[in-house]
Amino acid sequence: MISSTVLFYGTYVLCLCLGLLCVVFVSYWNIEWRGGFAWDASFLQFNWHPVLMVTGLVVLYGNAAILYRIPFTWSQRKQHWKLVHAALLLSSLILSILGLCAVFDFHTGYHIPNLYSLHSWVGICTVVLFTAQWLLGLVGFLSPCSPLGFRKLLKPVHAWMGMAIFILSLASCLSGINEKLLLALNGNSNSTAAYSSHPAEALFANFLGVLIVAFGLVVLGILSNQRWNRLEPGEESSRSLLPEDN
């Protein structure tokens, strides 16, 4: 029990550190090499897109997904943590929608077609599924009118969809980083070196992608470890039985 808890918190600290590094790296990339931020339908507005998507769709979402695995929460009323879980996911969803607004406004200002790339298709599908998942979770798990039988039926679907959306979020962000580098570092301008020549920006952004992959693997590792699941009523384990409110 002790070793499992210690291992969890060690893994959880690693998750938090990787998530923080992802946010710092994506912000620094857009400040140092892309010119910073604005909200005026310019290239500087586009820079909000990767920052908001990585922060919301990956880091906040991942931390919301593993909230119930934290042993500290097991001895407390689950209803309270349901609200925290829903609030974190709502914050993640709002940041993701703002990220989409940033890129759509930029495309409109420069007469660039929307939703033409595989990255954009995966990204918009991810946000649509995320929105549907959040609304269904709100109705199914937080509504006092939701029948217990419906909650039991919905729970495994909700958990599977949550992991699927997180994986799609990782794929969307990684493909977006690669697409941005291919478009920005084409070597046709005196101000940019070709992506294939390994400029500092490309190496930095590639390392950002590695951090995102590492963060995703840690989150999925936590979610897949059955020993770190919160106990449900009537379950027996090496951990103490904990009260649960449905």
Side-chain angles (χ1 to χ4, degrees):
M1 172 62 182
I2 295 177
S3 61
S4 179
T5 302
V6 170
L7 179 60
F8 171 84
Y9 279 115
T11 307
Y12 184 58
V13 169
L14 176 61
C15 179
L16 293 176
C17 291
L18 287 171
L20 179 61
L21 285 174
C22 287
V23 175
V24 170
F25 267 62
V26 71
S27 301
Y28 185 80
W29 172 31
N30 286 279
I31 293 171
E32 178 67 18
W33 284 284
R34 297 292 105 206
F37 306 99
W39 200 274
D40 55 3
S42 68
F43 281 94
L44 299 185
Q45 178 169 327
F46 176 87
N47 293 342
W48 281 112
H49 177 66
V51 173
L52 291 171
M53 288 311 202
V54 169
T55 303
L57 208 55
V58 173
V59 177
L60 263 181
Y61 187 100
N63 278 283
I66 61 176
L67 183 67
Y68 295 132
R69 302 303 199 273
I70 304 174
F72 168 76
T73 69
W74 296 345
S75 60
Q76 302 177 21
R77 289 175 59 84
K78 189 175 183 181
Q79 186 66 24
H80 297 160
W81 293 102
K82 284 181 180 180
L83 294 173
V84 176
H85 178 72
L88 284 174
L89 288 175
L90 179 59
S91 300
S92 169
L93 182 58
I94 291 172
L95 292 181
S96 303
I97 292 172
L98 287 174
L100 290 180
C101 291
V103 71
F104 282 129
D105 282 353
F106 163 72
H107 281 185
T108 300
Y110 283 83
H111 306 290
I112 300 172
N114 291 310
L115 302 175
Y116 66 88
S117 66
L118 178 60
H119 160 68
S120 62
W121 288 16
V122 174
I124 200 69
C125 288
T126 303
V127 175
V128 169
L129 288 174
F130 184 9
T131 303
Q133 167 88 335
W134 191 87
L135 291 174
L136 188 58
L138 180 67
V139 172
F141 298 113
L142 290 178
S143 172
C145 302
S146 176
L148 181 60
F150 176 68
R151 295 186 185 191
K152 290 182 177 179
L153 182 66
L154 179 61
K155 184 177 178 179
V157 178
H158 186 76
W160 183 87
M161 280 296 298
M163 291 186 66
I165 291 169
F166 182 65
I167 292 171
L168 288 173
S169 300
L170 296 173
S172 180
C173 287
L174 292 173
S175 61
I177 291 170
N178 190 243
E179 181 178 293
K180 178 61 178 179
L181 289 174
L182 288 172
L183 291 173
L185 304 181
N186 52 30
N188 294 330
S189 169
N190 293 331
S191 62
T192 61
Y195 190 10
S196 58
S197 66
H198 307 100
E201 179 182 359
L203 296 177
F204 188 89
N206 283 348
F207 193 73
L208 166 63
V210 172
L211 286 174
I212 291 173
V213 170
F215 175 80
L217 290 176
V218 172
V219 169
L220 292 173
I222 291 174
L223 292 175
S224 63
N225 191 328
Q226 298 301 313
R227 298 174 64 188
W228 294 337
N229 284 348
R230 181 185 175 110
L231 290 177
E232 297 298 334
E235 289 182 339
E236 294 184 359
S237 166
S238 57
R239 298 172 292 182
S240 301
L241 283 175
L242 302 172
E244 175 82 345
D245 64 307
N246 291 314

